[in-house]
Every structure is written in structure tokens, then in C-alpha cells.
Amino acid sequence: MKLRLARRAVGDAVVVAVEGELDLFTAPFLRDEVRDAIKLDGSRLILDLTALSFMDSSGLSVLIEAWRLATGEGGGVSLAAPQAPV
């Protein structure tokens, strides 16, 4: 399994569930999903990392960009349930 993403609204926030591996090849998919989520669903973003098994520096770069985008719109980013390897 490489990467699976699912987005849903929860109250006034948007949750993006990230499953699999986040690396150089899959990071652009999460980047696009985060941009769309903030643009279309609002700037309060929760990244559910419960099922994320691996993340390299490319993934970290996406998390930083998500934070910059969300805070620039008056919101923020929360990381939910990151696992030890992440």
C-alpha cells in the first residue's frame, strides 16, 4: 500500500485521513488534498495520522506547507494520533 487519503468535514474543521506511506512519490497527492481541503472546506485542518506507517522529509515539508496555508487563512493544523515510526 502506498498512500490513501480520505477527507470529511467534522464540525467546523476538515479532517484528512492519511493511510500508508508518505514519501517523495506520494507527498504531492497529500499536498494537493490539503490545498483543496483548505480552499474548499475551511482553514481548520486535522490530519488523522492513525494509519500513516512511514513519513520522510517530503511528508514533513507537506505538513509545514499545510500549516502555512491554514494559518495564513486564519486557521490551523492539528495532527491526530501520529504513530511512533512517524
Side-chain angles (χ1 to χ4, degrees):
M1 170 195 326
K2 252 328 202 179
L3 185 72
R4 289 179 21 183
L5 304 171
R7 186 169 83 206
R8 69 186 188 281
V10 176
D12 64 345
V14 59
V15 176
V16 176
V18 186
E19 180 181 345
E21 300 176 1
L22 186 55
D23 58 23
L24 178 65
F25 301 104
T26 59
F29 298 105
L30 179 58
R31 180 175 284 115
D32 291 345
E33 187 70 22
V34 163
R35 287 177 180 165
D36 287 348
I38 291 170
K39 181 180 175 183
L40 301 173
D41 300 319
S43 60
R44 293 197 55 213
L45 180 66
I46 300 168
L47 295 172
D48 179 356
L49 306 181
T50 304
L52 184 64
S53 59
F54 174 82
M55 181 175 70
D56 68 7
S57 61
S58 305
L60 182 58
S61 175
V62 174
L63 299 185
I64 292 167
E65 181 180 343
W67 176 81
R68 286 183 180 150
L69 287 170
T71 58
E73 296 291 322
V77 175
S78 297
L79 304 179
Q83 302 302 303
V86 174

